[in-house]
């Protein structure tokens, strides 16, 4: 007997008044990722294993183990991530628009939309994407 586990996705989309080249930099340059998300040893190379590192809190060591799955320069980026018992995939899609760039972030792999992982991610990604937009706005 095969059991299929249904998973849920979190999607956040935002139009940013910046060219996708600048947004791509914020998604792929370690120092810029640190400025809007967290410390990391990211490299935009498929297969590269890296970590996001935050300040540890009770019941979490502050580490998200990750691996780059897809790199399509200035267009799409995906990485798998594992933390606190949740394995998920985050995919960023950048689409040029008349006024800048449509940014789409999708995180897949949530067992429920009611659980703490989903609710925490929904809150966190909205905050982090706002931080990213501010970082991108300060780039030359």
């Amino acid at each position: 007997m095969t059991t299929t586990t249904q998973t849920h996705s979190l999607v956040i989309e935002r139009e940013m008044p910046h060219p996708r080249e600048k947004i791509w930099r914020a998604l792929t340059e370690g120092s810029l990722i640190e400025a809007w998300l967290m410390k990391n040893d990211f490299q935009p190379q498929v297969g590269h294993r890296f970590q996001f590192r935050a300040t540890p809190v009770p019941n979490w060591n502050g580490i998200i183990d990750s691996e780059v799955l897809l790199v399509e320069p200035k267009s799409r980026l995906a990485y798998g991530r594992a933390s606190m018992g949740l394995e998920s995939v985050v995919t960023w899609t950048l689409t040029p628009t008349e006024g800048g760039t449509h940014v789409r972030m999708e995180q897949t792999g949530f067992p429920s939309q009611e659980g703490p992982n989903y609710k925490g991610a929904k809150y966190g990604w909205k905050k982090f994407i706002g931080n990213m937009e501010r970082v991108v706005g300060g780039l030359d």
Side-chain angles (χ1 to χ4, degrees):
M1 182 171 165
T2 304
T3 303
T4 303
T5 303
Q6 180 180 3
T7 61
H8 300 272
S9 297
L10 170 64
V11 175
I12 297 177
E13 298 178 279
R14 183 175 291 182
E15 174 97 15
M16 294 188 189
H18 308 290
R20 65 184 182 160
E21 292 79 9
K22 287 185 178 184
I23 297 167
W24 184 256
R25 286 181 56 201
L27 290 173
T28 60
E29 294 180 17
S31 62
L32 295 178
I33 296 168
E34 182 175 348
W36 67 269
L37 185 58
M38 59 185 78
K39 293 179 182 179
N40 64 90
D41 54 343
F42 179 85
Q43 294 292 322
Q45 300 166 343
V46 172
H48 176 70
R49 293 181 182 274
F50 66 101
Q51 292 182 329
F52 289 113
R53 294 177 303 280
T55 303
V57 295
N59 301 317
W60 185 49
N61 65 4
I63 296 173
I64 302 172
D65 292 310
S66 305
E67 180 179 356
V68 178
L69 305 174
L70 172 73
V71 177
E72 294 176 3
K74 301 176 192 160
S75 182
R76 290 181 62 215
L77 174 69
Y79 44 83
R81 41 188 279 156
S83 180
M84 298 178 63
L86 176 69
E87 292 186 14
S88 64
V89 174
V90 174
T91 303
W92 295 92
T93 305
L94 306 179
T95 306
T97 64
E98 192 173 306
T101 303
H102 179 262
V103 178
R104 182 179 195 273
M105 187 287 308
E106 179 177 13
Q107 184 174 1
T108 61
F110 295 99
S112 164
Q113 292 178 327
E114 302 305 317
N117 285 333
Y118 184 91
K119 289 180 178 180
K122 185 175 182 179
Y123 169 81
W125 280 121
K126 286 181 179 181
K127 177 183 160 202
F128 292 134
I129 291 170
N131 292 344
M132 178 177 64
E133 187 166 8
R134 283 189 289 282
V135 167
V136 171
L139 296 177
D140 293 332

